[in-house]
């Protein structure tokens, strides 16, 4: 998974890299150190909720009744 987050106050935008290409982050909202947003691929809406930590992001991803937890790390610059 590759996400490009952009934060402006309590608004979360950006993109998610998917097999169908880069998709926009929709309905992104930040409350304290928690966040939520949706990524839509065709007719599938994938809900994301999570929490920012110092060096990582914990995220729960839910689609079609299935839920997966993942830990995201910042990409290393070359």
């Amino acid at each position: 998974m590759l996400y490009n987050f952009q934060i402006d106050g309590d608004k979360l935008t950006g993109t998610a890299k998917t097999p169908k290409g880069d998709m926009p982050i929709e309905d992104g909202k930040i409350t304290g150190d928690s966040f939520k947003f949706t990524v839509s691929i065709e007719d599938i809406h994938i809900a994301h909720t999570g929490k920012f930590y110092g060096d990582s992001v914990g995220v729960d991803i839910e689609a079609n009744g299935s839920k997966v937890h993942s830990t995201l790390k910042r990409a290393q610059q070359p």
Side-chain angles (χ1 to χ4, degrees), residues 3-63:
Y3 296 91
N4 181 8
F5 294 126
Q6 297 168 349
I7 299 170
D8 183 11
D10 67 349
K11 189 174 185 177
L12 176 64
T13 60
T15 58
K17 185 173 282 303
T18 75
K20 298 283 186 178
D22 289 349
M23 298 296 176
I25 289 173
E26 304 166 344
D27 304 320
K29 179 148 179 72
I30 298 172
T31 306
D33 59 1
S34 299
F35 63 89
K36 66 178 182 175
F37 64 89
T38 302
V39 175
S40 298
I41 304 172
E42 297 174 356
D43 291 335
I44 301 170
H45 304 287
I46 306 167
H48 295 66
T49 57
K51 187 171 181 179
F52 294 106
Y53 297 96
D55 63 344
S56 64
V57 175
V59 63
D60 292 313
I61 304 167
E62 189 171 349

